[in-house]
Amino acid sequence: MNRHQSDERVLPSTVTWSCPTPLVNSDRVLIGHGGGGKLTADLISRIFLPHFKNAHLDRLCDAATVAAGSAQVALATDAFVVRPLFFPGGNIGDLAVNGTVNDLAMSGAVPRYLTASFVLEEGLLLSELEAIVGSMGRAAKRAGVEIVAGDTKVVERGRGDGCYISTAGVGAFAPGIDLDPRHAQPGDVVLLSGTIGEHGMAIMSVREGLEFESPIVSDSAPLNGLAQTILRACPDTRVLRDPTRGGVATALIEIAQAAGVGIQLEETAVPVQPPVAAACELLGIDPLYVANEGKLLAIVPPDDADAVLAAMRQHEYGREAVVVGAVVGRSELESSVALTMRTSLGARRVISMPIGEQLPRIC
Amino acid sequence: MNRHQSDERVLPSTVTWSCPTPLVNSDRVLIGHGGGGKLTADLISRIFLPHFKNAHLDRLCDAATVAAGSAQVALATDAFVVRPLFFPGGNIGDLAVNGTVNDLAMSGAVPRYLTASFVLEEGLLLSELEAIVGSMGRAAKRAGVEIVAGDTKVVERGRGDGCYISTAGVGAFAPGIDLDPRHAQPGDVVLLSGTIGEHGMAIMSVREGLEFESPIVSDSAPLNGLAQTILRACPDTRVLRDPTRGGVATALIEIAQAAGVGIQLEETAVPVQPPVAAACELLGIDPLYVANEGKLLAIVPPDDADAVLAAMRQHEYGREAVVVGAVVGRSELESSVALTMRTSLGARRVISMPIGEQLPRIC
């Protein structure tokens, strides 16, 4: 994993969403196809987009915006296969609610309704199912959404892993909100709502049996309130994005590629809790690639950055918000480079998209 | 299976959706919990409803009706775990599109947008995935819907079964349409759009290696066009329902229980293709309990029945539509009985809900 990462760091990203040839010579689905990195992008562009082609999907946002009668609504879906089902700070249930709530919120919509479908493995303890469902109910209440439709299927032992959940959601738009990764432009400021890497490292610590003085707790949280706070402070916000699978690095690269711009990160500005940094070092993982489930990136015009930052810091889930970088023209970087980071020593490093799966089944 | 079925036939149904005690003394999820019968109802009432409680979900319809701005929209979701992935007449992909299209259509809505999330097992052939995705694209086109958002996760070998798909969908309502199982009332006529049992028996024939002179082909089809045809012929239609998991028997029992009425079926009126009847006899399965994926039940006021029947027969998916029964007052049956059938010999039999799973992973 270490070697792959260091390779990544010296090679610029050359693969975009519309990748014409397969990255890996395999005729089968690999674990890496689910990692949210280049292999996932490859699968989407080669298999899904050609068959599902439509203007909504082609935007490749977290949520699609569609017409419902006279109104515009946002639609999003996510599958959750996290292992273990229960982890410090949450379980697959609240994760499944927060995940889709956040996808809707990042589009600027106010999440309203969710659906939930379950694939249960024969033998799952009903007490575990009830704990999962109970925390979904509480997470829905906290996010202000209703779970209005559901479905349950059961598969034989050895054909699942306890419980998989897919949620889909519908959100409503306030007039005038138009977030789109393509709106990022040189000069814009990149804000981050808090420390990174807790969710992924909470899961990995449990799996690897790591123990720290203070345990790492997932940051899983609904971000719709924080998103609305940002939009009130700056209706002209360009992009909101929750850096889940693939972490902050992947989210920023996707935005930069969509907008045809570059993004420069300041390493010293990116906050990481000490136990997360320690776990990452032990496991040879860069926190920039680690999934977050309760953090967001906001890209805003420079004149609004201070006001947005101040508003974020007033919010429960944005108290540690910081400026972490800026949008620049592609010409200021090499033309194929989307994301660079100025290290604590002042060096400039190219950050590229991970190829496959560093942390399988993190969400 | 035979014994269970004959038990079922002599005992009236006494369990309703709000079942206070568990039906089966197990602390774990059983295959039967996914069967769409009493065990599924038990799981819903004991675990899901208490935690997700809201007015939309409590209606227990195939789709929920919610407000989106000034418009009302229908929301539905389904998980698909059918085994094998490919079967005569379709595959998990078109099944996943048609299934959610049909859930929306049965609410009276015009299906517009779908989301799709995939849980892929490491090792699935990419060619199979592409075939599945391709048929989803074609099914969406045929049904007039767009797949606007998606997600893909990958699980390790032995933690899935090739491919599971969850679809969710949004539909729009024409003004004045208000279908609800509770609207069924004594005197109403029960219509069925064609022969029953093909989907379930197509799957079972493949699994059991049964061969017939003419192979059994799944009836998987989008029913939104037929539903709209019915609603145009009779805007006062009480209920539409696609008899999937649990078959015609389960669908009618659910409607009868929701409305507090009884339903009487005429055995000789229910059409079954000869190979389906033969397969059912071989496997000891009653076609009334077998899943359909391209058939619907319509309950309409008696004065409109002829017009609806004529309209259905003009439609590609309703050519063999027939009257199969009538809604009666509960007092005309025993008070706890929801569904009876007059057999070809003139006897009256009580049809009750199956307890568990006759045909696991049929959809």
Side-chain angles (χ1 to χ4, degrees):
Chain A
M1 206 177 283
N2 258 328
R3 210 178 63 75
H4 154 74
Q5 253 198 293
S6 61
D7 283 358
E8 281 295 288
R9 283 305 178 83
V10 294
L11 290 169
S13 165
T14 54
V15 176
T16 67
W17 283 106
S18 51
C19 167
T21 51
L23 271 171
V24 173
N25 191 11
S26 167
D27 60 351
R28 293 182 180 273
V29 170
L30 309 173
I31 283 289
H33 280 118
K38 285 181 186 175
L39 272 175
T40 303
D42 186 45
L43 197 70
I44 292 171
S45 65
R46 290 198 304 124
I47 294 191
F48 290 99
L49 288 187
H51 293 290
F52 293 170
K53 199 157 184 54
N54 61 67
H56 308 290
L57 198 65
D58 291 351
R59 284 179 65 195
L60 286 171
C61 296
D62 282 343
T65 304
V66 300
S70 57
Q72 294 280 101
V73 300
L75 283 185
T77 190
D78 260 324
F80 294 85
V81 299
V82 66
R83 177 172 60 82
L85 296 176
F86 297 84
F87 48 82
N91 64 53
I92 191 171
D94 45 64
L95 196 65
V97 169
N98 290 337
T100 290
V101 161
N102 292 350
D103 279 352
L104 293 169
M106 296 307 103
S107 74
V110 177
R112 296 287 304 277
Y113 305 106
L114 297 191
T115 66
S117 80
F118 297 79
V119 175
L120 306 179
E121 186 191 13
E122 181 186 17
L124 174 68
L125 281 169
L126 288 172
S127 57
E128 291 194 335
L129 178 61
E130 180 149 24
I132 290 165
V133 169
S135 62
M136 292 181 78
R138 287 188 296 278
K141 199 166 180 185
R142 192 170 55 202
V145 298
E146 289 182 315
I147 299 172
V148 297
D151 187 39
T152 306
K153 296 282 155 61
V154 180
V155 295
E156 305 88 340
R157 274 175 205 270
R159 300 294 181 178
D161 201 2
C163 175
Y164 299 144
I165 304 178
S166 288
T167 47
V170 174
F173 285 101
I177 297 300
D178 180 22
L179 300 174
D180 190 316
R182 293 173 297 191
H183 294 170
Q185 50 188 265
D188 286 348
V189 174
V190 180
L191 304 172
L192 172 64
S193 64
T195 52
I196 66 168
E198 285 111 86
H199 176 72
M201 283 301 112
I203 304 281
M204 291 309 286
S205 299
V206 175
R207 285 200 214 149
E208 304 285 331
L210 303 183
E211 289 193 19
F212 300 93
E213 223 165 281
S214 45
I216 303 174
V217 175
S218 168
D219 59 337
S220 177
L223 295 170
N224 47 333
L226 181 60
Q228 291 301 310
T229 296
I230 292 169
L231 292 172
R232 273 193 301 271
C234 174
D236 203 25
T237 296
R238 319 284 195 204
V239 191
L240 295 176
R241 182 67 68 101
D242 56 333
T244 56
R245 256 189 315 184
V248 166
T250 303
L252 290 177
I253 290 169
E254 286 177 11
I255 293 167
Q257 288 182 343
V261 296
I263 292 177
Q264 291 187 327
L265 272 185
E266 296 295 325
E267 183 174 33
T268 53
V270 178
V272 184
Q273 293 177 0
V276 171
C280 282
E281 194 155 328
L282 260 171
L283 298 171
I285 293 171
D286 187 329
L288 277 182
Y289 291 108
V290 176
N292 310 276
E293 295 290 345
K295 298 294 162 13
L296 63 76
L297 292 157
I299 298 186
V300 299
D303 293 348
D304 297 318
D306 286 346
V308 172
L309 197 60
M312 287 173 78
R313 287 178 173 166
Q314 295 296 315
H315 192 279
E316 175 182 9
Y317 298 125
R319 287 212 185 93
E320 298 176 85
V322 282
V323 173
V324 291
V327 179
V328 298
R330 268 291 166 98
S331 57
E332 294 175 51
L333 309 173
E334 295 168 59
S335 66
S336 64
V337 172
L339 181 64
T340 65
M341 183 167 76
R342 202 170 61 174
T343 68
S344 53
L345 301 174
R348 168 86 36 99
R349 292 204 304 195
V350 171
I351 312 285
S352 63
M353 202 181 268
I355 287 188
E357 182 76 275
Q358 283 195 70
L359 306 172
R361 297 186 52 192
I362 216 74
C363 60
Chain B
M1 204 175 283
N2 258 325
R3 211 178 62 76
H4 155 73
Q5 251 198 296
S6 61
D7 282 356
E8 281 296 289
R9 282 306 179 80
V10 293
L11 291 169
S13 164
T14 53
V15 176
T16 67
W17 284 104
S18 51
C19 168
T21 51
L23 269 170
V24 173
N25 191 11
S26 167
D27 60 350
R28 291 182 181 273
V29 169
L30 310 173
I31 283 289
H33 280 119
K38 285 181 187 174
L39 272 175
T40 303
D42 186 44
L43 198 70
I44 293 171
S45 66
R46 288 199 304 126
I47 295 191
F48 290 98
L49 288 188
H51 294 289
F52 293 171
K53 197 152 186 61
N54 61 67
H56 308 292
L57 198 66
D58 292 351
R59 282 179 66 193
L60 288 170
C61 295
D62 283 343
T65 304
V66 299
S70 57
Q72 295 279 100
V73 300
L75 283 185
T77 191
D78 260 325
F80 295 86
V81 298
V82 65
R83 178 171 58 84
L85 296 175
F86 296 85
F87 47 80
N91 64 53
I92 191 172
D94 44 62
L95 196 65
V97 170
N98 290 336
T100 291
V101 162
N102 292 349
D103 279 350
L104 294 169
M106 296 306 104
S107 74
V110 177
R112 297 286 304 277
Y113 305 105
L114 297 191
T115 66
S117 80
F118 297 79
V119 176
L120 306 179
E121 187 190 14
E122 180 187 19
L124 174 69
L125 282 169
L126 287 172
S127 58
E128 291 195 333
L129 178 61
E130 181 149 23
I132 290 165
V133 170
S135 61
M136 291 181 79
R138 288 188 296 278
K141 199 165 178 184
R142 191 169 57 200
V145 297
E146 289 181 314
I147 299 171
V148 297
D151 187 39
T152 306
K153 296 282 156 56
V154 179
V155 295
E156 305 88 341
R157 274 176 205 267
R159 299 295 182 178
D161 200 2
C163 176
Y164 299 144
I165 304 177
S166 288
T167 48
V170 174
F173 285 102
I177 297 300
D178 180 20
L179 300 174
D180 190 315
R182 292 173 297 190
H183 292 172
Q185 50 188 264
D188 286 349
V189 174
V190 180
L191 303 173
L192 172 64
S193 65
T195 51
I196 66 169
E198 284 111 85
H199 177 72
M201 284 302 112
I203 305 281
M204 291 309 287
S205 299
V206 176
R207 284 201 214 147
E208 304 285 331
L210 303 183
E211 289 192 19
F212 299 94
E213 223 163 282
S214 44
I216 303 173
V217 175
S218 168
D219 58 338
S220 177
L223 295 171
N224 47 333
L226 182 59
Q228 290 301 312
T229 296
I230 292 169
L231 292 172
R232 274 192 300 272
C234 173
D236 202 25
T237 295
R238 319 284 197 205
V239 191
L240 294 177
R241 180 68 67 102
D242 57 333
T244 56
R245 254 188 319 183
V248 166
T250 303
L252 290 178
I253 290 168
E254 285 177 12
I255 293 167
Q257 287 181 342
V261 297
I263 293 178
Q264 291 186 327
L265 272 184
E266 296 293 324
E267 182 173 34
T268 53
V270 177
V272 184
Q273 293 177 0
V276 171
C280 282
E281 193 153 330
L282 260 171
L283 298 172
I285 292 171
D286 186 328
L288 278 182
Y289 291 107
V290 176
N292 310 275
E293 294 289 345
K295 298 293 164 13
L296 64 76
L297 292 157
I299 298 187
V300 299
D303 292 347
D304 296 317
D306 287 346
V308 173
L309 197 60
M312 288 173 78
R313 287 178 174 167
Q314 295 296 313
H315 192 281
E316 177 181 8
Y317 298 125
R319 287 213 185 92
E320 298 176 84
V322 282
V323 173
V324 290
V327 178
V328 297
R330 269 288 167 98
S331 56
E332 295 176 51
L333 309 173
E334 293 168 63
S335 65
S336 64
V337 172
L339 181 64
T340 65
M341 183 167 75
R342 201 169 63 174
T343 69
S344 53
L345 301 173
R348 169 87 34 98
R349 292 204 305 197
V350 172
I351 312 285
S352 63
M353 203 181 268
I355 287 189
E357 182 77 275
Q358 285 196 66
L359 306 172
R361 297 184 54 189
I362 217 73
C363 62

